Amino acid sequence: MSDVSAHPATETRAADSTTLAEYTTLRLGGPAGRIEIAASAEEIVQKVQQARLRDEEVLILAGGSNVVIGDAGFPGTVVLVRSRGLRVVAEDADTVTVRVEAGEPWDDLVAATVANGWSGLECLAGIPGSAGATPIQNVGAYGQEVAETIVGVGVYDRAEGTLGRIEAADCGFAYRSSVFKYSERWVVLSVDFRLARSPLSGPVRYAELARTLGVEPGDAVPLADARAAVLRLRAGKGMVLDADDPDTRSVGSFFTNPVLDRQAYELLRERAADLGEPPHWPGAGDTVKVSAAWLIDKAGFAKGHPGPEGVAISSKHTLALTNRGGTASTAALIALARDIRDGVHARFGVPLHPEPVLVNCAV
Ligand SMILES: Cc1cc2nc3c(=O)[nH]c(=O)nc-3n(C[C@H](O)[C@H](O)[C@H](O)COP(=O)(O)OP(=O)(O)OC[C@H]3O[C@@H](n4cnc5c(N)ncnc54)[C@H](O)[C@@H]3O)c2cc1C
């Protein structure tokens, strides 16, 4: 079997601060009761079990790129997932199955798969955070989502106190969702991805990406080209973390694209008649997925729209709410999110839902 050695740890910051803002990409969140670093699957389980013995609530936190933590923080134990490593656990002529420890930095994994000629994750380049968090909301971008390549998830079951594996078919993967999202039960310890042995990407589905690559939608391109084009597009939208760019002090998209049934979509069309056809795509079943960015923009919240305390819509992407100065409170970010949600509802009658996990706060 091939040996893809784990990358050196990119970050093993000691838990020298109990302010959770230090551990989130938004730089928001109050104090934790206790912060524990877990550097292996065994340590993750151990720290969770120890907290349970102390009768403390547990928050699993990895890259902190998809959470909004309230100003009051989290009174229990925060377990920082810092396990590393990946290895091939199965292979045949056409595919390899890679088992990735939960704390492995996601973008490093994508880079490694591209370098090895393994196809299936290349369009997910540049997404911050950990491999173990990708099943939580079925991470997706530019026409790919992890549900297409995950074959199983290694878990610790907090309810039963046992180790186990959940097959992909039982993960409940849907658009930015799975059985793991908001679950008090499952801790992800590792994820198995089955990838095609191919120097080429899957069919490029996302029109903007196809245009950037100079190909037709449905064409395949060299893996490295797909990854590079995605990284370029993402950087232009403030969607690759950059410490010097306040537009990236966010959780990425703050709202999911609303999924409407036909009737609700017709109502939206009527209310938006003066604006032309709302951008939309087919959703699951007979549903229609609508662009949240378009709704927000047309409801009067343009790029750069300010909220209190220096929070603002990103100047590069309508869906990203940013803590520009790095000094705002979660309450300020939530106030901006509520303004946007209420404004879109008043204008179009469409409810917006937050994409990140909200901890001790609510929109
Ligand atoms: C600039 C930017 C761009 C982004 N772009 C995208 C994008 O294109 N597509 C997309 O889907 N997302 C995107 N995101 C969101 C985010 O990067 C992903 O959701 C990512 O997978 C979160 O990983 P994390 O390690 O940071 O998770 P965290 O933020 O640490 O955790 C998120 C949630 O998962 C839970 N969790 C984390 N690890 C585990 C584990 N091992 N076991 C159980 N629960 C766990 C946490 O408790 C929390 O509820 C973006 C975020 C940013 C800041």
Side-chain angles (χ1 to χ4, degrees):
M1 291 206 178
S2 333
D3 176 26
V4 183
S5 55
H7 297 274
T10 52
E11 179 220 19
T12 47
R13 179 170 40 184
D16 50 5
S17 164
T18 54
T19 302
L20 287 166
E22 300 278 321
Y23 303 100
T24 66
T25 53
L26 266 172
R27 297 283 174 254
L28 293 178
R34 176 196 298 258
I35 298 186
E36 301 270 10
I37 297 177
S40 65
E42 293 73 26
E43 279 189 25
I44 297 170
V45 173
Q46 199 183 58
K47 308 281 182 197
V48 170
Q49 286 174 336
Q50 286 167 351
R52 190 189 175 121
L53 289 175
R54 291 191 302 267
D55 217 15
E56 287 172 6
E57 298 275 300
V58 173
L59 172 65
I60 307 290
L61 195 62
S65 63
N66 209 30
V67 284
V68 183
I69 301 177
D71 295 312
F74 184 79
T77 293
V78 174
V79 177
L80 291 179
V81 177
R82 298 292 184 261
S83 50
R84 294 285 192 278
L86 53 124
R87 65 198 165 99
V88 172
V89 289
E91 55 185 331
D92 58 29
D94 302 323
T95 67
V96 288
T97 302
V98 193
R99 178 161 303 160
V100 188
E101 296 300 311
E104 185 69 15
W106 175 253
D107 192 44
D108 289 3
L109 170 65
V110 175
T113 62
V114 167
N116 278 282
W118 300 339
S119 175
L121 303 180
E122 58 284 351
C123 294
L124 302 175
I127 297 178
S130 62
T134 59
I136 311 292
Q137 71 157 8
N138 179 20
V139 156
Y142 293 97
Q144 260 176 6
E145 55 183 20
V146 291
E148 296 162 36
T149 43
I150 288 178
V151 287
V153 178
V155 291
Y156 174 64
D157 181 342
R158 287 161 67 184
E160 300 291 333
T162 53
L163 296 173
R165 173 184 164 94
I166 304 185
E167 300 302 326
D170 299 320
C171 288
F173 287 131
Y175 166 59
R176 293 300 90 80
S177 177
S178 75
V179 296
F180 307 110
K181 196 156 179 181
Y182 280 108
S183 167
E184 293 287 305
R185 182 165 181 188
W186 308 111
V187 182
V188 173
L189 301 177
S190 65
V191 187
D192 288 2
F193 297 90
R194 186 179 295 145
L195 305 169
R197 286 183 193 279
S198 169
L200 295 181
S201 68
V204 176
R205 300 188 191 116
Y206 202 81
E208 185 189 26
L209 180 59
R211 272 198 306 279
T212 303
L213 286 160
V215 299
E216 291 299 315
D219 288 351
V221 298
L223 290 175
D225 292 1
R227 174 168 179 265
V230 166
L231 286 174
R232 255 196 330 274
L233 282 172
R234 293 186 68 92
K237 297 175 187 177
M239 285 289 162
V240 179
L241 289 184
D242 175 350
D244 297 329
D245 183 353
D247 277 327
T248 73
R249 212 167 290 136
S250 77
V251 283
S253 299
F254 194 92
F255 295 104
T256 52
N257 291 319
V259 178
L260 306 179
D261 61 27
R262 285 275 155 200
Q263 198 185 0
Y265 182 66
E266 286 311 318
L267 284 174
L268 167 62
R269 286 185 72 197
E270 280 169 27
R271 292 182 78 152
D274 54 323
L275 299 168
E277 187 77 30
H280 64 286
W281 313 267
D286 196 26
T287 61
V288 181
K289 200 190 280 182
V290 186
S291 163
W294 186 87
L295 293 172
I296 291 169
D297 186 61
K298 299 299 179 201
F301 302 93
K303 289 179 187 136
H305 179 93
E309 296 178 27
V311 300
I313 294 180
S314 158
S315 71
K316 303 189 184 76
H317 198 304
T318 317
L319 268 185
L321 307 193
T322 58
N323 174 14
R324 302 196 73 74
T327 53
S329 62
T330 305
L333 188 90
I334 294 283
L336 175 61
R338 284 184 185 146
D339 261 6
I340 293 170
R341 179 202 57 190
D342 294 347
V344 166
H345 194 261
R347 173 66 178 85
F348 296 113
V350 174
L352 288 182
H353 300 288
E355 180 177 306
V357 170
L358 305 180
V359 178
N360 280 348
C361 59
V363 174

